[in-house]
Amino acid sequence: MKNRKNTFLLLLVSILGIVLVACSGGGDTSSEPAETGGQGGGGTSGEPDAVQELNLMERAEIPSMDSAVAEDEVTFNILNNVNEGLFRLNQENIAEPAIAEGEPEISADGLTYTFKLRDANWSDGTPVTANDFVFAWQRAVDPETGSPYGPYMMGGTIKNATQIAEGDMDKSELGIEATDDKTLVVTLERPVPYFISLMSFGTFYPQKEEFVTEKGDDYASNSDNVLYNGPFMLTGWDGTGLEWALEKNPEYWDAETVQLDAINFDVVKEPSTAVNLYTSGEKDRATLTGEFAMQYAQDPEVVRELDPSTFYLKFNQERDGEKTPLANVNIRKAIAMAFNKQDLTDVVLADGSLPANYLVPAEFAFDENKTDFREANGDMLAFNAEEAKTLWQQGLEEEGLTDLTLELLGGDTETAKSMDEYMKAQLEDNLEGLTVNLKAVPFSVRLELDEAQDYDIQSAGWGPDYQDPMTFLDLFVTDSPQNKMSYSNEEFDALIESAKGELAQDATARWDAMAQAERILLEEDAAIAPTYQRGNMALQKPYVKGVVVHPFGGNFGYKWAYVSGKQ
């Protein structure tokens, strides 16, 4: 058993070596890889070509195009390009006025924001009004809608949102009012330091009440049953398919800035297929992982992006109404410390991802002194096989067990499967008596199983919704819509509540409260087991210009993108 990990890694490296030799082609690979900032590696130099069209790939299907119920990376990426809220992240990833005509008027107590709306139209030519925001926000927080994000994003932020989500107040009592077609007044529950950045997030996009009502259950079921007020319109999506396109929206208020006429998408789950489509010239960008990241690491067409998304194992403490062995803190800690994260990122992923001994990512959130939250709060739950073995035996004894079988729920992509196979090998090798059964499912199915809390361990991840540690930490308060694993700690909840409440305008005390909360979540409780912070490596054609990589919300912004110099 002891050499199983090494055998697995040697086998994996051997396979990678064969692939490297077999797939290496001609061309100069001595150039340094292109580094990327906000512009996605393509820069903004060169005159636009006559034909403005991109051919891209997504990793999964679109589960829904309803901004009120959206909760996944793919949907938010599309929504970011076909719709628009009061604010939008610009090319420097700063929230700037979008449907809002300018900065809001803010009351002295920080609780009331008054927005004036610019002249903007829906894709059907009708005007976007303040009531469209009122309707959409009320719908998102209404418990009958079943939105996973509405109550989470608005609760404790927009006045009365929590009570409405719990069914104790009518949605009409939400703190948002259209005083006329061009004036929107938002009342907060308490001061929120990051409120303006929230306004760029998809859950806060408007929806036209008449259209949604007319479509009924068919609303957002395909590309024809959605209205768009952003740079592009979604076309060719039948609600379940593996292909769709974005076409320039002629009704967009800033259409003159948009240069792309079309972006064609195909869902491609296998990295090998993605690379083949790229190298054959059929696609303009391909995400690299594993052996392909190693193979193309020095290719001049490689772009690199450090992603503020962290991935982790969720430990479900209650399943089918019964406590599970994962309710034992020593068992959770043992699993969290029993796998080598450095090998995971260097060999299995090999895409620039970082080992994560934390939840809040590095190079994401900074205090008033520009100190990285990650630097201030250090590492937790680092790989330690010997300590994991000791904790494992303690946990089994406490539960009266000699062995344990657990299911690991993960994705069905090639990369996800490789990662979960590695995790299974590590855990079974380092924790005697543990059997891990892998369950690989499509992303939409994983969301359903998570919602039903029908899993033991789940390979999950989170990308930020706004630029603040809170976007990660409050996922795990008791009864959070994102918790779904029966974790509860009163001290953790109190710290999060204080950071959102009385400490909201005391930056130093608020920062300290969030740091302490992260230590409780990981160091004390091991409620989750962090695995890695995602680093993105991709091949991107040099003629692709101006694509903006966003740290939260949609991953990519195509409003400023164009094609220049394509042969």
Side-chain angles (χ1 to χ4, degrees):
M1 289 288 288
K2 184 161 186 175
N3 292 323
R4 186 173 174 186
K5 179 198 103 174
N6 293 333
T7 300
F8 180 87
L9 280 175
L10 286 172
L11 177 61
L12 184 58
V13 171
S14 298
I15 293 171
L16 298 188
I18 293 170
V19 173
L20 287 172
V21 173
C23 295
S24 60
D28 181 9
T29 60
S30 62
S31 300
E32 286 298 313
E35 295 295 332
T36 69
Q39 295 299 326
T44 54
S45 60
E47 291 297 315
D49 290 357
V51 177
Q52 289 295 310
E53 186 168 305
L54 290 179
N55 297 293
L56 302 176
M57 294 174 273
E58 270 290 3
R59 298 183 241 194
E61 302 89 337
I62 303 173
S64 171
M65 276 300 295
D66 185 347
S67 60
V69 300
E71 61 176 329
D72 66 284
E73 183 177 83
V74 176
T75 302
F76 279 124
N77 193 41
I78 301 301
L79 283 171
N80 178 59
N81 289 286
V82 300
N83 285 101
E84 194 163 79
L86 294 167
F87 278 66
R88 167 182 289 279
L89 293 184
N90 64 16
Q91 292 160 287
E92 287 74 43
N93 283 313
I94 297 171
E96 67 178 9
I99 300 302
E101 192 172 40
E103 297 293 333
E105 178 184 330
I106 306 173
S107 62
D109 60 7
L111 296 179
T112 304
Y113 286 66
T114 301
F115 297 91
K116 292 292 185 179
L117 307 190
R118 71 172 72 249
D119 291 334
N121 286 342
W122 291 104
S123 51
D124 66 355
T126 59
V128 178
T129 69
N131 185 69
D132 296 335
F133 287 93
V134 175
F135 171 75
W137 293 20
Q138 288 180 350
R139 183 167 175 265
V141 80
D142 186 347
E144 291 189 8
T145 303
S147 170
Y149 259 90
Y152 164 69
M153 296 290 279
M154 297 186 194
T157 297
I158 310 299
K159 186 177 180 181
N160 297 331
T162 299
Q163 296 91 324
I164 295 168
E166 293 174 350
D168 296 330
M169 294 183 72
D170 188 79
K171 63 184 180 182
S172 63
E173 298 298 312
L174 187 67
I176 181 171
E177 178 187 6
T179 57
D180 58 51
D181 282 352
K182 295 291 186 181
T183 307
L184 186 70
V185 180
V186 179
T187 305
L188 305 187
E189 198 72 55
R190 50 197 170 193
V192 178
Y194 48 82
F195 182 69
I196 290 298
S197 76
L198 276 180
M199 294 299 93
S200 68
F201 193 76
T203 304
F204 295 96
Y205 289 170
Q207 294 181 342
K208 183 179 177 181
E209 182 174 5
E210 295 86 350
F211 185 87
V212 176
T213 302
E214 176 191 342
K215 294 297 181 180
D217 292 341
D218 291 332
Y219 175 67
S221 60
N222 57 53
S223 53
D224 292 331
N225 287 329
V226 188
L227 283 183
Y228 311 100
N229 73 325
F232 300 93
M233 302 178 295
L234 178 65
T235 63
W237 178 63
D238 64 7
T240 59
L242 300 177
E243 60 182 34
W244 58 82
L246 302 185
E247 295 181 1
K248 183 175 178 177
N249 180 6
E251 293 289 342
Y252 181 49
W253 69 269
D254 196 22
E256 64 181 22
T257 297
V258 182
Q259 300 189 65
L260 289 176
D261 293 316
I263 309 172
N264 305 307
F265 286 92
D266 287 288
V267 174
V268 179
K269 298 182 180 182
E270 293 74 26
S272 57
T273 303
V275 170
N276 288 337
L277 289 170
Y278 179 89
T279 56
S280 68
E282 296 178 60
K283 293 295 180 181
D284 298 321
R285 180 182 169 104
T287 299
L288 298 173
T289 58
E291 66 266 32
F292 298 104
M294 292 181 178
Q295 178 181 346
Y296 289 97
Q298 300 302 316
D299 193 291
E301 294 186 2
V302 160
V303 294
R304 302 173 187 270
E305 300 135 5
L306 182 60
D307 189 325
S309 297
T310 51
F311 290 76
Y312 44 82
L313 301 179
K314 289 179 69 172
F315 295 134
N316 190 9
Q317 299 186 35
E318 185 176 338
R319 189 174 185 179
D320 298 326
E322 301 289 336
K323 286 287 185 182
T324 75
L326 292 167
N328 184 290
V329 66
N330 286 323
I331 288 179
R332 296 197 304 271
K333 284 184 178 180
I335 295 173
M337 300 173 73
F339 56 93
N340 189 318
K341 302 174 190 181
Q342 195 70 57
D343 285 346
L344 173 66
T345 57
D346 290 353
V347 179
V348 181
L349 297 174
D351 57 3
S353 294
L354 304 176
N357 300 313
Y358 47 77
L359 174 61
V360 180
E363 299 182 25
F364 168 67
F366 302 85
D367 66 12
E368 66 273 18
N369 298 317
K370 307 300 182 185
T371 301
D372 191 331
F373 184 88
R374 192 69 276 127
E375 179 183 340
N377 217 29
D379 286 348
M380 290 156 277
L381 295 178
F383 171 57
N384 187 326
E386 293 307 311
E387 186 173 351
K389 294 177 194 294
T390 300
L391 291 167
W392 178 249
Q393 290 305 318
Q394 289 176 357
L396 289 182
E397 289 175 9
E398 290 164 357
E399 296 301 312
L401 301 171
T402 57
D403 55 58
L404 182 59
T405 298
L406 294 170
E407 174 189 271
L408 174 56
L409 174 65
D412 65 343
T413 65
E414 187 175 321
T415 301
K417 290 178 180 178
S418 296
M419 186 177 69
D420 291 345
E421 287 166 4
Y422 171 78
M423 199 68 69
K424 170 182 170 70
Q426 284 276 287
L427 296 177
E428 291 183 349
D429 182 63
N430 288 321
L431 302 177
E432 185 176 356
L434 175 62
T435 299
V436 177
N437 294 327
L438 302 181
K439 183 173 183 176
V441 300
F443 183 68
S444 59
V445 176
R446 187 176 69 76
L447 291 177
E448 292 173 1
L449 293 173
D450 179 70
E451 179 67 25
Q453 212 165 308
D454 187 11
Y455 66 93
D456 291 330
I457 303 174
Q458 180 184 169
S459 183
W462 190 260
D465 302 324
Y466 47 91
Q467 202 152 9
D468 189 87
M470 189 60 72
T471 189
F472 289 90
L473 294 171
D474 70 356
L475 299 173
F476 301 104
V477 298
T478 303
D479 297 328
S480 162
Q482 309 300 332
N483 188 317
K484 299 301 180 187
M485 57 185 191
S486 295
Y487 170 69
S488 180
N489 182 301
E490 291 183 2
E491 185 180 1
F492 176 84
D493 291 353
L495 286 165
I496 296 301
E497 180 64 24
S498 66
K500 287 184 168 184
E502 67 266 23
L503 302 181
Q505 295 180 301
D506 185 339
T508 301
R510 180 175 180 271
W511 202 258
D512 289 343
M514 292 190 293
Q516 187 179 346
E518 187 188 42
R519 289 193 294 271
I520 290 173
L521 181 74
L522 301 183
E523 202 167 51
E524 294 185 18
D525 289 348
I528 59 172
T531 52
Y532 66 97
Q533 178 178 345
R534 185 166 63 190
N536 292 323
M537 184 186 294
L539 289 166
Q540 182 171 291
K541 299 298 185 182
Y543 53 73
V544 178
K545 308 290 185 179
V547 176
V548 178
V549 181
H550 294 311
F552 56 90
N555 290 341
F556 300 101
Y558 300 112
K559 174 177 176 175
W560 304 275
Y562 62 100
V563 176
S564 177
K566 183 176 181 179
Q567 300 300 320

